[in-house]
Amino acid sequence: TWIDMEDNNIVGTIPESFYTNLDLEEVILKNNKLAGGISSSIGDLTRLARFWASFNLMSGTIPTQVGNLVNLEELELQNNKLTGPLPSEMGNMNSIEFLSAELNTLTGTIPPELFSPQLGGLRILYLNNNELNGPIPDNYGLATRLKDLWLFNNQLTGTLPLISEGEFLFLEELLLNDNDLTGVVDESLCLIRNDTGKGNLGVFHTDCQPPPDGGAPQIQCSCCTACYV
């Protein structure tokens, strides 16, 4: 069962009764004017494979019950007004392949559960343009199938964790600019550049540009493809 109401200028909120159709497998609500929050009852839709609610006016937090969506492959929440943290329960969505929550006002730290081997199919993770803080989880390299990791325009701190041999072999885009990260990019990340024969990383952005008034850049990087201040 599926519902597709994309591009219809629909206003109002998603009614609670919407979540009682337990046979739903695809819900496409993107590009409307929906407001209000995502009900915790979304966790009852355990057959759901796609939930696209991007480009709306939705607010509130992402409910922890999304962790019940073990068949969910695509979650699009970008371009809304969502607040609060990314639930660690997202680490239970073991079928997820595409997770997009950029251009909201999400806060708190990035849960390490998002990079768990349990999410072995995750290929796209877009968390840019939020207010996420704290360090990048040390285990981020465990997301072995990850192709795009966009974390730019947040408030992330600390140094960029090194990765172990065999990690991030499919990573093509790593966008970390416009954060508060510091330190030296470890050689382990340079070794997965697509010009080394050992990886596929072709787009690698950090704050490695010296400031206009002189001084050292926030990040020292010998293999980044673009540097920002």
Side-chain angles (χ1 to χ4, degrees):
T1 304
W2 55 274
I3 293 175
D4 187 349
M5 295 187 288
E6 182 178 356
D7 292 318
N8 277 297
N9 285 318
I10 299 171
V11 298
T13 61
I14 301 174
E16 191 66 22
S17 58
F18 182 90
Y19 300 97
T20 62
N21 187 348
L22 303 184
D23 291 325
L24 279 173
E25 296 178 4
E26 292 192 13
V27 175
I28 313 297
L29 303 174
K30 65 191 297 184
N31 287 319
N32 284 292
K33 297 179 181 177
L34 291 167
I38 302 170
S39 170
S40 60
S41 299
I42 194 174
D44 297 334
L45 304 179
T46 54
R47 298 184 64 179
L48 204 60
R50 289 175 185 83
F51 186 79
W52 296 357
S54 53
F55 297 93
N56 279 290
L57 303 170
M58 301 186 73
S59 59
T61 60
I62 301 173
T64 60
Q65 288 80 4
V66 296
N68 296 342
L69 305 179
V70 294
N71 291 303
L72 192 66
E73 298 173 2
E74 298 177 8
L75 179 60
E76 287 195 13
L77 300 175
Q78 72 266 30
N79 286 81
N80 276 291
K81 300 179 182 295
L82 297 172
T83 56
L86 291 162
S88 60
E89 287 82 359
M90 283 181 154
N92 297 324
M93 301 189 303
N94 51 20
S95 297
I96 198 73
E97 298 176 6
F98 185 103
L99 174 52
S100 177
E102 78 265 27
L103 290 159
N104 281 288
T105 317
L106 299 173
T107 55
T109 58
I110 300 173
E113 289 83 358
L114 283 179
F115 303 103
S116 164
Q118 189 171 339
L119 304 189
L122 183 62
R123 294 180 58 78
I124 304 294
L125 182 57
Y126 295 154
L127 301 177
N128 52 283
N129 293 90
N130 280 290
E131 296 178 5
L132 298 169
N133 56 47
I136 295 173
D138 286 337
N139 69 331
Y140 74 145
L142 294 179
T144 52
R145 302 291 298 183
L146 205 58
K147 176 176 173 284
D148 291 356
L149 178 57
W150 292 9
L151 301 178
F152 62 93
N153 275 325
N154 278 291
Q155 300 166 10
L156 300 173
T157 55
T159 57
L160 188 58
L162 55 80
I163 59 171
S164 299
E165 186 175 356
E167 294 181 340
F168 277 166
L169 292 182
F170 297 95
L171 192 67
E172 296 180 6
E173 298 186 7
L174 180 57
L175 307 186
L176 305 174
N177 51 287
D178 296 295
N179 277 289
D180 296 318
L181 298 166
T182 57
V184 180
V185 171
D186 189 77
E187 182 67 15
S188 60
L189 286 159
C190 295
L191 289 175
I192 60 167
R193 278 287 311 274
N194 61 0
D195 55 1
T196 65
K198 297 181 179 180
N200 291 286
L201 184 61
V203 182
F204 187 10
H205 297 178
T206 68
D207 295 319
C208 49
Q209 178 75 29
D213 56 355
Q218 280 180 221
I219 288 182
Q220 298 179 46
C221 183
S222 63
C223 58
C224 291
T225 60
C227 288
Y228 295 75
V229 177

